């Protein structure tokens, strides 16, 4: 197997923002890309290469959504995936990556907002994002509820992804978000795709979501999405303890069972 640039990054601690809301600002990324050469979110290509080979053909037209300065596109290029279009909304990133990988002539680098793709309908066999959606969702304080602003952002991106996918095309999303938090965002009949989940990693698992255009959602996924966005109203009755009841609960002791005589 080829030796991919999967762990190459500079000291990322120096680029950590003071406020996580900075991750959602273009100005933050422009400043970071001016100084940082390379950074890999989560695991590198080697960690999920088998899943890519199972779901992506070498001849596929691939769109890398929010490429950043990750070596992922270059790793895949070295592995035989040459038809890759990389987009990022940071012009600084695109300029640096265009220069850095100028020898990979079949790859293209374009400044573009993932919410407003300028490609015609059905342009790509595969759209791949790794950590792009996670970066814009990092400000969410409760994984069980997504703010209206974030939900709208994700919806705009997914609508565009669905539009540019060819029939039978795959949207691959690589994330640290567990299925019960992420599937509800993907499980929408409007996108006209099925949703499958794989995981990779050792002690800490990451998730490899595959949405296939033309597929259908399961009823369980639809219900999961509905519960996520429309949780049932639950009336919680307060339980008041009298002083004597509270004192009784405090005195409860759990003792080990008696041992049997030998």
């Amino acid at each position: 197997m080829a030796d991919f640039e999967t762990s190459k990054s500079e000291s990322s601690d120096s680029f950590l923002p003071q406020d996580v809301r900075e991750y959602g600002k273009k100005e933050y990324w422009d400043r970071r890309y001016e100084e940082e050469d390379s950074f890999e979110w989560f695991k590198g290509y080697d960690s999920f290469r088998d899943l890519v080979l199972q779901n992506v053909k070498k001849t596929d037209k691939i769109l890398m959504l929010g490429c950043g300065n990750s070596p992922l596109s270059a790793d895949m290029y070295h592995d035989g995936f040459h038809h890759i279009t990389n987009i990022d909304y940071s012009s600084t990133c695109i300029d640096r990556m265009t220069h850095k990988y100028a020898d990979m002539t079949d790859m293209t680098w374009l400044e573009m907002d993932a919410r407003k793709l300028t490609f015609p309908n059905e342009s790509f066999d595969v759209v791949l994002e790794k950590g792009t959606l996670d970066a814009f969702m990092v400000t969410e304080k409760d994984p069980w509820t997504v703010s209206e602003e974030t939900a709208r952002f994700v919806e705009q991106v997914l609508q565009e992804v669905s539009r540019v996918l060819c029939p039978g095309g795959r949207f691959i999303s690589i994330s640290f978000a567990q299925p019960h938090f992420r599937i509800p965002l993907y499980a929408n009949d409007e996108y006209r795709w099925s949703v499958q989940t794989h995981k990779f990693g050792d002690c800490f698992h990451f998730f490899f979501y595959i949405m296939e255009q033309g597929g259908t959602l399961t009823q369980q996924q639809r219900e999961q999405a509905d519960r996520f966005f429309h949780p049932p109203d639950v009336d919680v009755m307060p339980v008041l303890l009298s002083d004597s009841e509270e004192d009784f609960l405090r005195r409860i002791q759990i003792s080990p069972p008696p041992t049997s005589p030998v």
Side-chain angles (χ1 to χ4, degrees), residues 6 16 23 28-29 32-33 36 39-45 48 66-71 130-132 134-135 174 176 206:
T6 54
L16 290 176
Y23 283 123
Y28 163 77
W29 293 108
R32 177 166 176 168
Y33 292 139
E36 183 182 61
F39 182 75
E40 189 62 278
W41 296 91
F42 321 145
K43 294 282 189 176
Y45 179 54
F48 53 88
C67 61
N69 56 13
S70 162
K130 180 169 178 279
T132 300
D134 290 335
I174 302 171
F176 60 74
F206 299 91

Side-chain angles (χ1 to χ4, degrees), residues 183-185 187 220-230:
I183 286 180
L185 298 176
Q220 181 181 4
Q221 289 170 339
R222 292 189 182 98
E223 292 172 356
Q224 184 180 355
D226 186 64
R227 288 194 302 270
F228 186 85
F229 288 105
H230 307 97

Side-chain angles (χ1 to χ4, degrees), residues 2-21:
D3 182 18
F4 301 109
E5 294 181 76
T6 54
S7 60
K8 182 180 178 182
S9 66
E10 305 199 346
S11 58
S12 58
D13 288 349
S14 60
F15 299 105
L16 290 176
Q18 296 285 334
D19 187 330
V20 293
R21 287 176 294 185

Side-chain angles (χ1 to χ4, degrees), residues 18-180:
Q18 296 285 334
D19 187 330
V20 293
R21 287 176 294 185
E22 290 290 299
Y23 283 123
K25 298 179 180 179
K26 181 177 179 293
E27 294 77 15
Y28 163 77
W29 293 108
D30 283 337
R31 291 194 304 270
R32 177 166 176 168
Y33 292 139
E34 282 283 359
E35 303 177 39
E36 183 182 61
D37 178 66
S38 176
F39 182 75
E40 189 62 278
W41 296 91
F42 321 145
K43 294 282 189 176
Y45 179 54
D46 267 346
S47 300
F48 53 88
R49 178 176 181 264
D50 288 346
L51 288 168
V52 171
L53 294 176
Q54 292 169 27
N55 293 281
V56 185
K57 299 190 291 289
K58 301 291 178 73
T59 55
D60 280 343
K61 294 180 180 178
I62 303 167
L63 173 63
M64 193 69 69
L65 210 64
C67 61
N69 56 13
S70 162
L72 176 58
S73 294
D75 290 341
M76 290 182 64
Y77 193 95
H78 286 306
D79 205 18
F81 299 96
H82 289 179
H83 308 293
I84 303 177
T85 300
N86 302 275
I87 69 162
D88 200 285
Y89 74 165
S90 168
S91 58
T92 303
C93 169
I94 293 302
D95 289 345
R96 289 174 67 92
M97 297 295 275
T98 300
H99 177 75
K100 183 175 182 178
Y101 296 114
D103 59 321
M104 300 181 183
T105 55
D106 291 331
M107 275 210 297
T108 56
W109 305 86
L110 300 172
E111 179 187 351
M112 197 178 300
D113 190 323
R115 297 166 294 179
K116 300 174 183 177
L117 301 179
T118 60
F119 306 109
N121 296 350
E122 302 180 3
S123 295
F124 296 96
D125 302 298
V126 173
V127 177
L128 194 156
E129 73 89 18
K130 180 169 178 279
T132 300
L133 294 179
D134 290 335
F136 283 94
M137 296 181 71
V138 73
T139 57
E140 295 299 304
K141 294 180 171 55
D142 180 0
W144 293 104
T145 58
V146 177
S147 67
E148 184 176 338
E149 180 182 5
T150 296
R152 180 56 183 155
F153 174 89
V154 174
E155 181 184 32
Q156 289 175 320
V157 173
L158 298 184
Q159 285 174 338
E160 284 294 271
V161 169
S162 175
R163 182 183 66 78
V164 302
L165 273 178
C166 295
R170 284 84 63 208
F171 171 41
I172 296 173
S173 175
I174 302 171
S175 171
F176 60 74
Q178 297 179 1
H180 44 276

